[in-house]
């Protein structure tokens, strides 16, 4: 009976974060529909029996989900989790825009900084909730994910009208924040310090700490970031960014950063929404961030030329 009355959540993006969150929402007995980008992915999901697998230190969670594509939708979406790559979020939401209304709960859980603001501007009639998570995971198959690190998720709104979805409050490690913009900015700072360097040195997060050249670069990246943070009057951390970045590299030492995972899989990375976002803000502030600029170029070159 409870299941009949369960709320429906649609999830856009079936990467590691989308799958981990499908598992979390499934644990709340919510009904889940995955929205795939095309018929090919939908068909490939059907061959698994619509089964999502998420392995964590708690064991294997395997569950069935409904699945669809944007052009098969027939009714408005009530609840949507957007867990796409940052560079896909605007176009993916555009394909659903006929089915999203001011009543839809839309939680956007993406990396980077800037796309969130772009969404608010492009869809002024929609109410977005933004989330920043430190959950870590990686895919071992098309619909198989390892949930490597159970993180904390902060949720809030930039315009001030959205709230944490009521049913999510039952999940552990979830917190509402009054200032999600600052949380996203801080995450950007950490990602700028760690992700491109893990690609450049082809190493796990923690290994950066043992490479003197990488640490010297991290220190320059951090001071360039702090200069932009000061110029844009955003309070970063109470301690230097370099110390925070080293701490995250240590606590996630075994992780292969999302950017290195993308490069190794021959996929496009989120460098434009991470280091690129900092470079854009620097330009608007009339300041130079040469080291971050050179890393932006290096990763784009690697994406293109391998
Ligand atoms: O992008 C990532 O992989 C993560 O945000 C971080 C913090 C670098 C940990 O792996």
């Amino acid at each position: 009976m409870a299941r009949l009355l369960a709320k429906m959540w649609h999830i856009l993006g079936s990467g590691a974060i989308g799958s981990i969150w499908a598992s979390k929402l499934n644990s709340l007995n919510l009904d889940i529909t995955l929205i795939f980008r095309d018929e090919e992915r939908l068909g490939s999901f059907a061959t698994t029996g619509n089964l999502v697998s998420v392995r964590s230190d708690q064991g294997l969670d395997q569950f069935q989900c409904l699945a669809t594509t944007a052009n098969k939708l027939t009714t408005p979406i009530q609840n949507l989790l957007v867990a796409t790559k940052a560079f896909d979020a605007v176009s993916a939401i555009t394909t659903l825009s006929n089915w999203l209304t001011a009543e839809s709960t839309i939680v956007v859980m993406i990396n980077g900084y800037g796309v969130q603001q772009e969404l608010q501007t492009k869809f002024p009639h929609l109410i977005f909730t933004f989330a920043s998570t430190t959950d870590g995971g990686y895919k071992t198959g098309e619909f198989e994910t390892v949930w490597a690190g159970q993180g904390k998720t902060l949720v809030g709104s930039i315009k001030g009208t959205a709230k944490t979805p009521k049913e999510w409050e039952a999940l552990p490690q979830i917190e509402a924040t009054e200032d999600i913009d600052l949380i996203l900015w801080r995450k950007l700072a950490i990602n700028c310090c760690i992700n491109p360097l893990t690609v450049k040195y082809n190493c796990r997060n923690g290994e950066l700490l043992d490479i003197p050249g990488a640490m010297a670069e991290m220190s320059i990246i951090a001071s360039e970031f702090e200069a932009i943070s000061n110029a844009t009057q955003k309070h970063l951390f109470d301690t230097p960014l370099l110390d925070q970045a080293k701490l995250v590299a240590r606590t996630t030492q075994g992780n292969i950063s999302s950017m290195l995972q993308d490069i190794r899989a021959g996929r496009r990375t989120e460098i434009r929404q991470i280091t690129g976002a900092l470079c854009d803000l620097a330009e608007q502030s009339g300041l130079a961030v040469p080291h971050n600029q050179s890393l932006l170029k290096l990763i784009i070159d690697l994406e293109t030329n391998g």
Side-chain angles (χ1 to χ4, degrees):
M1 185 64 182
R3 195 84 197 177
L4 281 178
L5 298 173
K7 254 192 180 176
M8 170 68 79
W9 271 84
H10 284 80
I11 300 182
L12 199 50
S14 52
I17 292 297
S19 305
I20 289 167
W21 275 80
S23 160
K24 291 194 197 195
L25 299 185
N26 182 59
S27 76
L28 297 176
N29 270 344
L30 301 170
D31 284 331
I32 297 159
T33 299
L34 303 181
I35 305 176
F36 289 108
R37 94 175 76 88
D38 53 36
E39 288 296 325
E40 200 186 321
R41 290 269 293 156
L42 187 64
S44 152
F45 187 53
T47 63
T48 70
N50 278 24
L51 217 52
V52 176
S53 305
V54 177
R55 186 177 290 282
S56 70
D57 53 14
Q58 310 292 309
L60 176 66
D61 183 24
Q62 266 193 326
F63 51 96
Q64 276 185 314
C65 293
L66 296 171
T68 189
T69 55
N71 58 11
K72 284 200 163 78
L73 292 169
T74 51
T75 52
I77 293 176
Q78 286 167 348
N79 303 289
L80 176 68
L81 171 63
V82 181
T84 59
K85 288 286 184 187
F87 49 78
D88 274 338
V90 173
S91 66
I93 293 176
T94 304
T95 64
L96 300 183
S97 55
N98 285 345
W99 304 110
L100 293 170
T101 72
E103 273 73 52
S104 307
T105 296
I106 310 170
V107 182
V108 180
M109 192 179 286
I110 56 172
N111 281 333
Y113 186 87
V115 175
Q116 295 86 351
Q117 293 77 357
E118 192 182 338
L119 285 169
Q120 297 265 207
T121 312
K122 189 154 189 221
F123 305 103
H125 59 295
L126 298 180
I127 299 172
F128 292 102
T129 297
F130 296 102
S132 173
T133 187
T134 55
D135 279 324
Y138 54 91
K139 300 292 286 281
T140 47
E142 213 178 347
F143 306 106
E144 290 167 16
T145 299
V146 171
W147 185 359
Q150 312 231 4
K152 185 170 170 180
T153 302
L154 290 160
V155 182
S157 78
I158 293 178
K159 261 166 76 184
T161 39
K163 290 202 284 291
T164 313
K166 191 98 202 95
E167 57 275 29
W168 287 30
E169 288 169 12
L171 289 170
Q173 299 282 18
I174 185 143
E175 221 175 83
T177 171
E178 288 294 307
D179 200 347
I180 191 72
D181 186 73
L182 180 64
I183 301 295
L184 295 168
W185 180 247
R186 288 178 174 166
K187 176 134 198 255
L188 182 78
I190 300 292
N191 285 145
C192 281
C193 288
I194 296 179
N195 295 35
L197 293 180
T198 59
V199 174
K200 181 165 178 180
Y201 291 92
N202 191 20
C203 67
R204 289 177 189 267
N205 296 352
E207 288 168 342
L208 288 172
L209 299 164
D210 300 324
I211 307 172
M215 292 319 294
E217 289 198 60
M218 194 185 279
S219 166
I220 305 170
I221 297 169
S223 56
E224 288 183 0
F225 199 107
E226 283 171 332
I228 304 308
S229 216
N230 291 339
T232 52
Q233 287 170 1
K234 288 186 200 300
H235 172 71
L236 214 38
F237 299 101
D238 291 334
T239 54
L241 171 55
L242 179 61
D243 292 352
Q244 290 289 331
K246 286 191 321 210
L247 184 66
V248 174
R250 200 167 303 119
T251 48
T252 62
Q253 56 185 328
N255 283 21
I256 297 176
S257 78
S258 49
M259 198 170 282
L260 182 54
Q261 287 182 45
D262 288 338
I263 286 286
R264 286 185 177 169
R267 292 187 297 253
R268 182 175 173 184
T269 72
E270 295 178 310
I271 192 72
R272 295 164 192 78
Q273 291 71 34
I274 295 178
T275 305
L278 174 71
C279 294
D280 289 348
L281 276 166
E283 201 179 321
Q284 285 161 28
S285 314
L287 292 167
V289 285
H291 205 78
N292 282 283
Q293 277 287 359
S294 69
L295 286 168
L296 173 63
K297 185 176 174 319
L298 175 84
I299 308 295
I300 291 175
D301 283 352
L302 280 174
E303 275 180 2
T304 324
N305 307 314

